[in-house]
Amino acid sequence: MGNTLDIASNKLSEQTKKLNIASYYTHENEELAKEMLNGNYNDLFVIKVKFSASSLFGAFLLFFNFPFSTLQDLYVIVTSSFDVDDIKTDIGWRIFEKDIKENLTKDEHDKGYTLLLQEELTGSFTLQPGSNQRGSELKKQLELDDEIIIHRIFKKFIMDRMGFQNIHISVDYEAISSLDMELYSSSSKKIDPRELTKINKGEDEEVQIETDEDVDIDKENAEMILQGSMILSPISGKPVSDIAIGDRIRIHLEKNQKSVHVAKAFKAYENDTIQPITGRVVSIRRQLSGGYKIFSLIAKGIYVKIEEEEENIKVAIDETENIGKQDDESTTKSRLMLIISVIIGIILILTMLIIFL
């Protein structure tokens, strides 16, 4: 009986871990995470490419994120060894990855060309707002399942970027999920366990409040403390040494699952990038080691902690509220001057009437 319970507990723990991984890659979209866990939602295409040019042979494995049209990870080899030419692309991606790994461990690869190809792939297919045309085109052809055009995209890419005149190339691809990549890929970068721990604790996890007694935040009602940094404005900004409580500063949130949620609520999340938001300074302390520790309130119960080591910088300030106040003050002054002018005019008219009457 005890053994059966242990097995059931282990299975539940394993399922929870997988669900947390799926939640991470779907930005905590519960519905999509469950679909991914059940094998009904694939967000990646694994693209397997092998090529040969004169005396060089190469192969690479791309994990292409379909929703965002960008690379999620890659694995590359370029070598003069004929062994790479024996690699097949029409096999499962895990075997293809294993073949690249075995050839890399032989230490016969050309490190210069391998690094060059890796950098060119990253630069060409990594998301850059407004300029990721190659990634967008690849997504379109994958959606159409046009093998000929996809083959042509990578052939042209290798010839243009690597400077090879004539190449022979083989390209195949298959759809998988980020969960598959995380669990079964031996080459891809893995999620920081601390991120999974945060997801596992959920949104109701206890907020870690600063123990410093002089931190001026509402500790009892603090729901979340995010990490962030100030947006710099070297020309029109305010010196960080002049920042005072109540100032509205422009902030960049450190990207993680929670900050993405917050940014979306602020409508400040575009193209997988968190846009700057405004926060009101509620605490600023100069550190003994230099620099400043700042807490800024961005919404009720939500604070951003900023640790700035530099002291000779200027910070971007949100002047929108001040502009409104200045407009109100200006309007009030104008009205007052108008009233005074009318009163003076009436007095002058009455005075003239009394004199002439």
Side-chain angles (χ1 to χ4, degrees), residues 48 87-97 99 172 174:
K48 301 162 288 183
I87 296 177
K88 306 297 182 184
T89 60
D90 58 352
I91 56 177
W93 69 270
R94 293 170 67 182
I95 301 174
F96 185 82
E97 181 183 50
D99 289 342
D172 281 286
E174 54 188 290

PDB file of all heavy atoms in Angstrom, residues 48 87-97 99 172 174:
ATOM      1  N   LYS A  48      15.921  20.878 -38.841  1.00  0.00           N
ATOM      2  CA  LYS A  48      17.185  20.125 -38.949  1.00  0.00           C
ATOM      3  C   LYS A  48      17.805  20.410 -40.317  1.00  0.00           C
ATOM      4  O   LYS A  48      17.195  20.158 -41.344  1.00  0.00           O
ATOM      5  CB  LYS A  48      16.893  18.629 -38.797  1.00  0.00           C
ATOM      6  CG  LYS A  48      16.227  18.259 -37.464  1.00  0.00           C
ATOM      7  CD  LYS A  48      15.573  16.894 -37.504  1.00  0.00           C
ATOM      8  CE  LYS A  48      14.308  16.916 -38.356  1.00  0.00           C
ATOM      9  NZ  LYS A  48      13.592  15.623 -38.360  1.00  0.00           N
ATOM     10  N   ILE A  87      25.270  12.475 -41.429  1.00  0.00           N
ATOM     11  CA  ILE A  87      24.083  12.774 -40.611  1.00  0.00           C
ATOM     12  C   ILE A  87      22.860  12.911 -41.514  1.00  0.00           C
ATOM     13  O   ILE A  87      22.916  13.544 -42.563  1.00  0.00           O
ATOM     14  CB  ILE A  87      24.292  14.068 -39.796  1.00  0.00           C
ATOM     15  CG1 ILE A  87      25.430  13.903 -38.794  1.00  0.00           C
ATOM     16  CG2 ILE A  87      23.011  14.464 -39.064  1.00  0.00           C
ATOM     17  CD1 ILE A  87      25.736  15.169 -38.002  1.00  0.00           C
ATOM     18  N   LYS A  88      21.758  12.337 -41.089  1.00  0.00           N
ATOM     19  CA  LYS A  88      20.510  12.407 -41.841  1.00  0.00           C
ATOM     20  C   LYS A  88      19.573  13.421 -41.187  1.00  0.00           C
ATOM     21  O   LYS A  88      19.512  13.526 -39.964  1.00  0.00           O
ATOM     22  CB  LYS A  88      19.819  11.042 -41.890  1.00  0.00           C
ATOM     23  CG  LYS A  88      20.701   9.914 -42.420  1.00  0.00           C
ATOM     24  CD  LYS A  88      21.107  10.159 -43.861  1.00  0.00           C
ATOM     25  CE  LYS A  88      21.951   8.990 -44.389  1.00  0.00           C
ATOM     26  NZ  LYS A  88      22.451   9.248 -45.767  1.00  0.00           N
ATOM     27  N   THR A  89      18.835  14.159 -42.004  1.00  0.00           N
ATOM     28  CA  THR A  89      17.874  15.127 -41.464  1.00  0.00           C
ATOM     29  C   THR A  89      16.457  14.552 -41.380  1.00  0.00           C
ATOM     30  O   THR A  89      15.598  15.134 -40.705  1.00  0.00           O
ATOM     31  CB  THR A  89      17.829  16.403 -42.327  1.00  0.00           C
ATOM     32  OG1 THR A  89      17.445  16.065 -43.663  1.00  0.00           O
ATOM     33  CG2 THR A  89      19.185  17.095 -42.338  1.00  0.00           C
ATOM     34  N   ASP A  90      16.212  13.434 -42.067  1.00  0.00           N
ATOM     35  CA  ASP A  90      14.865  12.848 -42.063  1.00  0.00           C
ATOM     36  C   ASP A  90      14.681  11.857 -40.918  1.00  0.00           C
ATOM     37  O   ASP A  90      13.923  10.898 -41.030  1.00  0.00           O
ATOM     38  CB  ASP A  90      14.561  12.188 -43.402  1.00  0.00           C
ATOM     39  CG  ASP A  90      15.568  11.099 -43.769  1.00  0.00           C
ATOM     40  OD1 ASP A  90      16.585  10.973 -43.057  1.00  0.00           O
ATOM     41  OD2 ASP A  90      15.332  10.389 -44.756  1.00  0.00           O
ATOM     42  N   ILE A  91      15.389  12.098 -39.828  1.00  0.00           N
ATOM     43  CA  ILE A  91      15.262  11.269 -38.631  1.00  0.00           C
ATOM     44  C   ILE A  91      14.702  12.126 -37.495  1.00  0.00           C
ATOM     45  O   ILE A  91      14.577  13.338 -37.633  1.00  0.00           O
ATOM     46  CB  ILE A  91      16.629  10.684 -38.205  1.00  0.00           C
ATOM     47  CG1 ILE A  91      17.654  11.814 -37.994  1.00  0.00           C
ATOM     48  CG2 ILE A  91      17.137   9.683 -39.225  1.00  0.00           C
ATOM     49  CD1 ILE A  91      19.016  11.346 -37.512  1.00  0.00           C
ATOM     50  N   GLY A  92      14.364  11.525 -36.376  1.00  0.00           N
ATOM     51  CA  GLY A  92      13.842  12.271 -35.238  1.00  0.00           C
ATOM     52  C   GLY A  92      14.832  13.306 -34.751  1.00  0.00           C
ATOM     53  O   GLY A  92      16.049  13.094 -34.799  1.00  0.00           O
ATOM     54  N   TRP A  93      14.302  14.411 -34.248  1.00  0.00           N
ATOM     55  CA  TRP A  93      15.179  15.520 -33.867  1.00  0.00           C
ATOM     56  C   TRP A  93      16.137  15.156 -32.728  1.00  0.00           C
ATOM     57  O   TRP A  93      17.255  15.653 -32.672  1.00  0.00           O
ATOM     58  CB  TRP A  93      14.354  16.751 -33.477  1.00  0.00           C
ATOM     59  CG  TRP A  93      13.565  16.631 -32.204  1.00  0.00           C
ATOM     60  CD1 TRP A  93      12.290  16.165 -32.077  1.00  0.00           C
ATOM     61  CD2 TRP A  93      13.990  16.991 -30.884  1.00  0.00           C
ATOM     62  NE1 TRP A  93      11.881  16.208 -30.762  1.00  0.00           N
ATOM     63  CE2 TRP A  93      12.902  16.720 -30.007  1.00  0.00           C
ATOM     64  CE3 TRP A  93      15.164  17.520 -30.346  1.00  0.00           C
ATOM     65  CZ2 TRP A  93      12.970  16.947 -28.628  1.00  0.00           C
ATOM     66  CZ3 TRP A  93      15.234  17.749 -28.979  1.00  0.00           C
ATOM     67  CH2 TRP A  93      14.158  17.470 -28.135  1.00  0.00           C
ATOM     68  N   ARG A  94      15.732  14.251 -31.855  1.00  0.00           N
ATOM     69  CA  ARG A  94      16.596  13.873 -30.730  1.00  0.00           C
ATOM     70  C   ARG A  94      17.804  13.078 -31.220  1.00  0.00           C
ATOM     71  O   ARG A  94      18.912  13.213 -30.689  1.00  0.00           O
ATOM     72  CB  ARG A  94      15.796  13.084 -29.709  1.00  0.00           C
ATOM     73  CG  ARG A  94      14.721  13.917 -29.024  1.00  0.00           C
ATOM     74  CD  ARG A  94      13.775  13.085 -28.179  1.00  0.00           C
ATOM     75  NE  ARG A  94      14.438  12.503 -27.021  1.00  0.00           N
ATOM     76  CZ  ARG A  94      13.839  11.703 -26.153  1.00  0.00           C
ATOM     77  NH1 ARG A  94      12.554  11.383 -26.318  1.00  0.00           N
ATOM     78  NH2 ARG A  94      14.502  11.219 -25.122  1.00  0.00           N
ATOM     79  N   ILE A  95      17.605  12.254 -32.254  1.00  0.00           N
ATOM     80  CA  ILE A  95      18.728  11.508 -32.836  1.00  0.00           C
ATOM     81  C   ILE A  95      19.642  12.461 -33.592  1.00  0.00           C
ATOM     82  O   ILE A  95      20.874  12.370 -33.517  1.00  0.00           O
ATOM     83  CB  ILE A  95      18.212  10.398 -33.764  1.00  0.00           C
ATOM     84  CG1 ILE A  95      17.314   9.428 -32.991  1.00  0.00           C
ATOM     85  CG2 ILE A  95      19.372   9.645 -34.409  1.00  0.00           C
ATOM     86  CD1 ILE A  95      16.642   8.380 -33.859  1.00  0.00           C
ATOM     87  N   PHE A  96      19.027  13.416 -34.331  1.00  0.00           N
ATOM     88  CA  PHE A  96      19.800  14.424 -35.061  1.00  0.00           C
ATOM     89  C   PHE A  96      20.668  15.230 -34.095  1.00  0.00           C
ATOM     90  O   PHE A  96      21.852  15.470 -34.346  1.00  0.00           O
ATOM     91  CB  PHE A  96      18.834  15.339 -35.815  1.00  0.00           C
ATOM     92  CG  PHE A  96      19.506  16.359 -36.697  1.00  0.00           C
ATOM     93  CD1 PHE A  96      19.943  16.017 -37.972  1.00  0.00           C
ATOM     94  CD2 PHE A  96      19.695  17.661 -36.262  1.00  0.00           C
ATOM     95  CE1 PHE A  96      20.557  16.956 -38.796  1.00  0.00           C
ATOM     96  CE2 PHE A  96      20.307  18.600 -37.067  1.00  0.00           C
ATOM     97  CZ  PHE A  96      20.739  18.246 -38.338  1.00  0.00           C
ATOM     98  N   GLU A  97      20.080  15.637 -32.971  1.00  0.00           N
ATOM     99  CA  GLU A  97      20.809  16.382 -31.943  1.00  0.00           C
ATOM    100  C   GLU A  97      21.956  15.542 -31.379  1.00  0.00           C
ATOM    101  O   GLU A  97      23.074  16.038 -31.189  1.00  0.00           O
ATOM    102  CB  GLU A  97      19.842  16.777 -30.828  1.00  0.00           C
ATOM    103  CG  GLU A  97      20.469  17.586 -29.703  1.00  0.00           C
ATOM    104  CD  GLU A  97      19.476  17.880 -28.593  1.00  0.00           C
ATOM    105  OE1 GLU A  97      18.805  16.918 -28.129  1.00  0.00           O
ATOM    106  OE2 GLU A  97      19.353  19.051 -28.185  1.00  0.00           O
ATOM    107  N   ASP A  99      23.565  13.168 -32.898  1.00  0.00           N
ATOM    108  CA  ASP A  99      24.623  13.053 -33.909  1.00  0.00           C
ATOM    109  C   ASP A  99      25.523  14.293 -33.921  1.00  0.00           C
ATOM    110  O   ASP A  99      26.745  14.187 -34.062  1.00  0.00           O
ATOM    111  CB  ASP A  99      24.004  12.834 -35.294  1.00  0.00           C
ATOM    112  CG  ASP A  99      23.399  11.446 -35.453  1.00  0.00           C
ATOM    113  OD1 ASP A  99      23.745  10.558 -34.649  1.00  0.00           O
ATOM    114  OD2 ASP A  99      22.579  11.248 -36.371  1.00  0.00           O
ATOM    115  N   ASP A 172      14.851  19.401 -43.007  1.00  0.00           N
ATOM    116  CA  ASP A 172      13.611  18.772 -42.542  1.00  0.00           C
ATOM    117  C   ASP A 172      13.175  19.459 -41.261  1.00  0.00           C
ATOM    118  O   ASP A 172      13.983  20.118 -40.589  1.00  0.00           O
ATOM    119  CB  ASP A 172      13.815  17.271 -42.291  1.00  0.00           C
ATOM    120  CG  ASP A 172      13.803  16.469 -43.582  1.00  0.00           C
ATOM    121  OD1 ASP A 172      12.713  16.281 -44.141  1.00  0.00           O
ATOM    122  OD2 ASP A 172      14.895  16.043 -44.020  1.00  0.00           O
ATOM    123  N   GLU A 174      10.002  19.396 -37.825  1.00  0.00           N
ATOM    124  CA  GLU A 174       8.882  18.743 -37.149  1.00  0.00           C
ATOM    125  C   GLU A 174       8.410  19.632 -36.008  1.00  0.00           C
ATOM    126  O   GLU A 174       9.178  20.419 -35.450  1.00  0.00           O
ATOM    127  CB  GLU A 174       9.283  17.367 -36.624  1.00  0.00           C
ATOM    128  CG  GLU A 174      10.516  17.348 -35.734  1.00  0.00           C
ATOM    129  CD  GLU A 174      10.980  15.945 -35.402  1.00  0.00           C
ATOM    130  OE1 GLU A 174      10.267  15.266 -34.646  1.00  0.00           O
ATOM    131  OE2 GLU A 174      12.055  15.533 -35.907  1.00  0.00           O
TER     132      GLU A 174
END
